């Protein structure tokens, strides 16, 4: 029989009505055996996520403010869900424990993690599933990084003991027993870890949109949804700022070759987006899979005559960045020029020092620093087969009267990256979308 791991985001578990919808989805398919919930999200635009309320409590305690009244709001959210679902479950003892632990300096991550923990308890009770506390099965290493192999070993053993279980997302435990969370949106990662450990056939990630869009809907009106996308394409788009799934959620399922299906809790019949290890097929009318863009880059262009014949030139340049603990994002180069693209926020304070070191290290003819650069990634596995994609991108952008400051085609032919002025990011993105998606 098939096995599916299902993760539900905060908006899918924001109130009792959503809990009912989630239970309906789970019960509809017996393969949906392991469930990873987030903390309750926003019920309306102006609402506050429980995770943010917990962070706020932590800050209040640090500032020696009284949390009594504010913490009561958190209790109210959980108690409202329980009452409205009509389950016989008293969570007050847990809530009091959480409050006291927070008051006795149990840490910021502990505070934040309780959003998922408490929601997991309620969901397990409502579904009649076992509850597996993530603190027993999701392990971090001494240095704070996730311990994938040890976790996989322990978690797979644990899952074998349960027919159905709820495993709260977002957190795990350090070797010394303290709670540690992933970065924000980290329940996606837990879902992926559980899918790998369970040897699932599919990881369903339920959210409030029907999958990935080909472009940011805040820029392109009503963009088409992406049907199928490969892990690698997704990685390129997520890196460039396309959200929906946490960037790190790809790795655990990728190791195991498990596909991810992004689904909409509020429209479960929609197909959503399938994220797959590899795909031969693509819609020949859609050479590209998606477009994403990000602001905040700086290009440092180093020019020197006969650079191409100077052995070790590139290494010396990169060594300067390494010594200053700056990682580079892209490296487009010409015969006598080398351009290092970095995030502006990372380099800002170190810029002068880096420029001086570069001058000493490679004695360039000129060095130019260009701030205010936005990068746009046009991604698609169809580009390998289609001729003239780069030409179409360039003409579309120039027809929109946008100046291209850099162009870089990945050797995998999976993406073309272009750099434009930050102010022109939206015009460029719209122009490329209109060219490829008609
Ligand atoms: N509740 C956490 C957050 O708001 C984790 C998650 O929802 O995935 O970031």
């Amino acid at each position: 029989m098939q096995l599916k791991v299902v993760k539900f985001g905060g908006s899918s578990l924001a109130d009792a009505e959503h809990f009912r919808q989630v239970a309906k989805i789970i019960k509809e398919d017996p393969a949906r055996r392991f469930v990873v919930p987030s903390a309750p999200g926003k019920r309306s635009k102006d609402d506050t996520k429980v995770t943010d309320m917990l962070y706020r409590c932590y800050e209040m305690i640090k500032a020696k403010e009284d949390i009594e009244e504010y913490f009561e709001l958190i209790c109210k959210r959980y108690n409202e869900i329980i009452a409205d679902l009509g389950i016989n479950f008293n969570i007050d003892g847990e809530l009091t424990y959480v409050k006291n632990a927070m008051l006795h300096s149990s840490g910021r991550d502990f505070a934040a993690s309780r959003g998922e923990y408490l929601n997991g308890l309620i969901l397990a009770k409502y579904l009649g599933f076992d509850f597996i506390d993530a603190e027993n099965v999701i392990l971090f290493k001494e240095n704070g990084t996730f311990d994938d192999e040890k976790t996989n070993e322990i978690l797979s053993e644990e899952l074998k003991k349960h027919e159905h279980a709820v495993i709260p997302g977002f957190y795990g435990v350090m070797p010394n027993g303290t709670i540690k969370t992933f970065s924000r949106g980290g329940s996606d990662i837990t879902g992926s870890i559980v899918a790998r450990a369970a040897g699932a056939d599919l990881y369903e990630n339920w959210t409030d949109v029907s999958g990935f869009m080909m472009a940011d809907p805040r820029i392109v009106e009503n963009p088409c949804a992406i049907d199928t996308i490969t892990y690698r394409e997704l990685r390129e788009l997520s890196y460039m700022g396309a959200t929906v799934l946490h960037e790190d959620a790809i790795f655990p399922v990728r190791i195991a070759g498990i596909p991810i299906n992004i689904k909409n809790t509020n429209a479960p019949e929609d197909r959503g987006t399938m994220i797959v290890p590899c795909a031969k097929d693509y819609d020949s009318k859609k050479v590209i899979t998606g477009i994403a863009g990000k602001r905040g880059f700086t290009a440092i262009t180093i020019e020197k005559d006969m650079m191409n014949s100077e052995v070790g030139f590139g290494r010396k340049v990169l060594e300067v960045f390494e010594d200053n603990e700056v990682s580079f994002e892209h490296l487009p180069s010409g015969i006598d020029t080398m351009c290092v693209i970095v995030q502006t926020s990372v380099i800002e304070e170190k810029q002068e020092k880096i420029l001086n070191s570069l001058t000493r290290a490679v004695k360039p003819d000129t060095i130019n620093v260009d701030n205010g650069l936005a990068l746009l990634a046009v991604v698609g596995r169809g580009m390998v087969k289609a001729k003239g994609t780069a030409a179409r991108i360039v003409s579309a952008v120039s027809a929109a009267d946008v100046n291209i400051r850099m162009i870089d085609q990945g050797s995998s032919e999976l993406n073309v990256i272009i750099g434009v002025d930050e102010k022109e990011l939206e015009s460029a993105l719209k122009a490329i979308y209109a060219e490829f998606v008609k």
Side-chain angles (χ1 to χ4, degrees), residues 38-39 49 51 116 170 184-187:
S38 280
K49 287 179 171 191
T51 309
E116 270 69 13
F170 193 36
R184 294 301 303 266
S187 299

Side-chain angles (χ1 to χ4, degrees), residues 14 40 43 47-50 52-54 56-57 60 66-81 95 99 118:
R43 292 161 295 187
D47 201 10
T48 311
K49 287 179 171 191
V50 167
D52 290 315
M53 297 173 88
L54 288 161
R56 168 124 188 251
C57 272
M60 287 169 80
D66 180 23
I67 62 160
E68 212 56 43
E69 215 173 292
Y70 194 70
F71 193 80
E72 218 19 71
L73 297 175
I74 298 175
C75 300
K76 198 165 155 237
R77 282 210 62 176
Y78 286 113
N79 274 316
E80 260 173 25
I81 295 174
L95 286 163
K99 187 173 73 183
L118 296 163

Side-chain angles (χ1 to χ4, degrees), residues 214 224-230 233 271 276 279-290 379-387 389 392 433 435-438:
M214 287 188 72
C224 296
I226 301 174
D227 230 46
T228 307
I229 184 170
T230 63
E233 287 173 311
R271 185 184 181 276
V276 295
K280 281 186 207 73
D281 66 304
Y282 69 94
D283 182 348
S284 56
K285 283 189 250 53
K286 282 191 203 129
V287 176
I288 64 167
T289 305
V379 176
R381 57 191 181 281
M383 291 194 318
V384 185
K385 300 217 179 77
K387 288 196 188 92
T389 311
R392 281 174 72 189
Y433 184 85
E435 167 65 30
F436 288 92
V437 194
K438 289 189 181 121

